[in-house]
């Protein structure tokens, strides 16, 4: 992979906002701003590299599903050990047994040019979706109209909704979409609106509002929207571990619903949203070339490590310990640090001072595309920048070939 400097398109900020990215800039603590969408550079990858990343992504996902079943077995963890509401794991086991459909996830990979290593999986509430599926593709159309990009995210999302609609998965061929009013950057609302668009493109009737306005109808023993409409299928970008702690989460845990809502993502994805999956993967697949050694609650035999909270996001509350530093690199944040997962320290590669992490998307179990985020320091945090990519000299395939790939 190579990083190239390039002149941004005139009016790039207005373009990406018009295309759905509501925060092209990131506010810094000193009151200034820095680009979140950074098109003053782009990353070049080869087709061979893409094919390798695809294979790794799909293999890791199958390993994560296996790990989820082990984690939920009841022998390995309790709800309390995973920081989950009491009664969560039995529901996870039932969800796995039913094979509740899930749509997407994103791996974060560190890649130094040989074997990519899994840093984590964002299996419940992955973001960066609009930038990956829409904004960077439109950038490619403008800047390299004949080139290709590893990016079938949008087409695969629409296909997922369409396939399940045809299979009768969604009662009434409708779905609700919820974002939380507590998230004020617009990222959650933007992502949920985009997912709603993909469902509508697949022919579903869609409804949406803030999840805080979700209602409970006692007589029907059912969740209803703010208009009193019964909810059958619902997409949310709200972590299960938080949702089940809410008042309405108790209705879910107690099994009061006459016909339970089909939540997307399903509750079994809770296992793919906690860092506890990292040591389980290492136990199940020791010395796997795409995993880093990881341990639960202790650094074990690791000399250099990163301590991560179970439910941390955006690099918050992590601690980096290296043998060359006299003090650990500690990052503040709001997450509970009583239980930490320790993972071997694997620094991000630096491209002229820009530390790059690969986000690898999977939709319906199929590797679907990548995104690159850059940071100035060792942690990919809130201030990281999204940088588009293209596949080197590879010409864009024709529409017939694309459609053939989608059904393979």
């Amino acid at each position: 992979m190579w990083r190239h400097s390039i002149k941004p398109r005139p009016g790039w900020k207005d373009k990406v906002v018009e295309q759905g990215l509501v925060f092209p800039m990131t506010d810094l603590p000193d009151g200034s701003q820095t680009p979140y969408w950074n098109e003053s550079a782009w990353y070049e990858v080869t087709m061979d590299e893409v094919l390798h990343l695809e294979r790794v992504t799909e293999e890791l996902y199958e390993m994560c599903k296996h790990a989820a079943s082990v984690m939920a077995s009841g022998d390995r963890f309790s709800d309390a050990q995973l920081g989950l509401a009491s009664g969560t794991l039995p529901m996870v086991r039932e969800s796995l047994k039913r094979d509740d459909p899930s749509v997407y996830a994103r791996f974060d990979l560190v890649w130094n040019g040989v074997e990519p290593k899994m840093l984590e999986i964002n299996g419940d509430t992955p973001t960066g979706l609009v930038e990956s599926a829409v904004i960077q593709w439109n950038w490619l159309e403008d800047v390299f109209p004949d080139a290709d990009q590893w990016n079938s995210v949008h087409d695969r999302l629409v296909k997922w909704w369409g396939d399940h609609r045809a299979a009768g998965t969604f009662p009434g061929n409708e779905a609700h979409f919820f974002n939380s009013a507590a998230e004020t950057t617009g990222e959650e609302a933007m992502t949920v609106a985009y997912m709603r668009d993909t469902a509508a493109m697949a022919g579903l009737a869609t409804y949406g509002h803030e999840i805080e306005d979700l209602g409970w109808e006692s007589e029907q023993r059912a969740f209803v929207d703010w208009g009193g409409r019964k909810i059958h299928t619902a997409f949310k970008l709200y972590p299960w571990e938080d949702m089940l702690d809410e008042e309405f989460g108790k209705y879910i845990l107690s099994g009061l619903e006459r016909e339970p809502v089909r939540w997307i993502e399903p509750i079994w994805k809770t296992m793919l949203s906690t860092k506890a999956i990292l040591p389980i993967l290492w136990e199940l697949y020791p010395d796997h070339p795409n995993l880093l050694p990881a341990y639960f609650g202790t650094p074990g035999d690791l000399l250099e490590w990163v301590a991560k909270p179970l439910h941390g996001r955006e690099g918050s509350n992590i601690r980096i310990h290296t043998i060359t530093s006299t003090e650990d690199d500690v990052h503040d944040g709001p997450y509970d640090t009583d239980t930490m997962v320790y993972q071997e320290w694997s620094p991000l590669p630096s491209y002229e001072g820009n530390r790059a992490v690969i986000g690898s998307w999977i939709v319906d179990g199929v590797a679907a595309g990548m995104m690159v985020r850059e940071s100035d320091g060792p942690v990919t945090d809130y201030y990281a920048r999204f940088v588009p990519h293209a596949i080197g000299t590879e010409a864009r395939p024709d529409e017939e070939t694309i459609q053939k790939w989608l059904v393979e």
Side-chain angles (χ1 to χ4, degrees):
M1 187 167 77
W2 300 267
R3 185 182 193 274
H4 304 285
S5 295
I6 190 172
K7 189 175 180 181
R9 294 168 294 174
W12 66 268
K13 200 185 302 181
D14 291 337
K15 282 180 190 284
V16 299
V17 171
E18 286 170 7
Q19 292 163 5
L21 182 60
V22 299
F23 46 88
M25 307 293 287
T26 300
D27 294 329
L28 297 174
D30 65 1
S32 62
Q33 289 189 318
T34 188
Y36 165 69
W37 171 261
N38 176 24
E39 60 174 68
S40 67
W42 64 283
Y43 281 87
E44 177 186 357
V45 290
T46 68
M47 181 55 82
D48 284 345
E49 289 172 331
V50 168
L51 293 174
H52 187 59
L53 288 167
E54 282 184 339
R55 183 191 61 74
V56 168
T57 299
E58 291 177 4
E59 183 178 353
L60 285 175
Y61 190 68
E62 288 303 312
M63 291 158 57
C64 286
K65 288 169 67 177
H66 178 206
S69 64
V70 172
M71 294 167 71
S73 66
D75 299 329
R76 188 65 176 84
F77 293 115
S78 66
D79 290 318
Q81 285 174 310
L82 292 177
L84 301 172
S86 177
T88 301
L89 285 176
M91 295 197 71
V92 169
R93 285 195 288 275
E94 289 302 310
S95 178
L96 284 166
K97 195 182 297 180
R98 290 191 301 268
D99 195 21
D100 287 343
S102 65
V103 54
Y104 74 143
R106 192 195 77 229
F107 287 95
D108 284 347
L109 306 172
V110 55
W111 188 27
N112 288 295
V114 188
E115 279 294 348
K117 305 281 188 182
M118 174 181 165
L119 295 175
E120 60 186 49
I121 179 171
N122 303 276
D124 184 18
T125 59
T127 54
L129 187 64
V130 176
E131 305 91 299
S132 298
V134 178
I135 309 299
Q136 71 169 344
W137 180 260
N138 288 333
W139 167 87
L140 186 80
E141 294 271 35
D142 284 348
V143 179
F144 299 118
D146 297 324
D148 200 9
Q149 187 177 78
W150 181 24
N151 191 355
S152 61
V153 176
H154 178 81
D155 289 337
R156 291 192 186 281
L157 289 173
V158 175
K159 181 176 184 298
W160 184 87
W161 289 108
D163 287 349
H164 282 279
R165 174 176 177 263
T169 303
F170 311 123
N173 285 331
E174 64 180 38
H176 282 74
F177 292 79
F178 298 121
N179 62 280
S180 171
E183 203 283 322
T184 57
T185 69
E187 181 177 46
E188 194 175 308
M190 173 184 81
T191 307
V192 171
Y194 173 63
M195 285 299 286
R196 184 176 175 179
D197 282 348
T198 61
M201 291 177 76
L204 289 166
T206 65
Y207 310 89
H209 57 72
E210 291 167 350
I211 201 166
E212 286 82 358
D213 292 330
L214 194 65
W216 174 257
E217 218 293 323
S218 301
E219 214 165 284
Q220 296 185 68
R221 288 169 37 210
F223 288 109
V224 293
D225 67 14
W226 63 5
R229 189 181 189 88
K230 189 175 174 183
I231 298 165
H232 300 285
T233 300
F235 175 88
K236 51 81 188 169
L237 204 70
Y238 195 51
W240 272 106
E241 67 267 17
D242 294 337
M243 199 162 105
L244 293 176
D245 277 337
E246 301 286 350
E247 187 62 32
F248 70 84
K250 295 171 185 169
Y251 293 112
I252 300 174
L253 285 168
S254 60
L256 279 178
E257 294 170 274
R258 183 171 285 143
E259 296 173 31
V261 172
R262 179 182 291 285
W263 290 100
I264 302 165
E265 296 291 331
I267 195 170
W268 72 262
K269 293 299 267 315
T270 310
M271 300 295 99
L272 273 57
S273 181
T274 166
K275 306 299 185 293
I277 196 171
L278 299 173
I280 298 302
L281 283 168
W282 188 246
E283 284 180 21
L284 294 171
Y285 305 96
D287 300 320
H288 190 283
N290 303 117
L291 295 178
L292 292 165
Y295 302 98
F296 189 84
T298 170
D301 58 357
L302 300 176
L303 298 178
E304 296 187 304
W305 44 259
V306 182
K308 302 180 176 183
L310 291 179
H311 303 299
R313 288 176 170 81
E314 303 271 20
S316 297
N317 295 105
I318 73 166
R319 175 186 291 267
I320 302 171
H321 175 83
T322 62
I323 56 177
T324 56
S325 298
T326 54
E327 293 186 4
D328 290 351
D329 184 4
V330 180
H331 294 251
D332 294 332
Y335 296 103
D336 183 356
T337 56
D338 286 348
T339 303
M340 303 290 273
V341 164
Y342 294 80
Q343 185 184 51
E344 185 177 74
W345 170 234
S346 181
L348 297 172
S350 176
Y351 296 83
E352 301 173 335
N354 300 285
R355 316 285 184 91
V357 67
I358 303 286
S360 178
W361 291 97
I362 190 150
V363 178
D364 198 18
V366 179
M370 69 177 267
M371 66 183 203
V372 182
R373 283 173 298 158
E374 292 181 338
S375 55
D376 296 326
V379 176
T380 308
D381 58 14
Y382 173 77
Y383 302 106
R385 303 171 291 276
F386 190 109
V387 185
H389 79 276
I391 303 175
T393 56
E394 200 71 23
R396 188 176 302 181
D398 59 29
E399 186 59 30
E400 184 180 349
T401 303
I402 293 172
Q403 293 305 315
K404 184 181 170 189
W405 285 345
L406 290 175
V407 298
E408 282 179 349

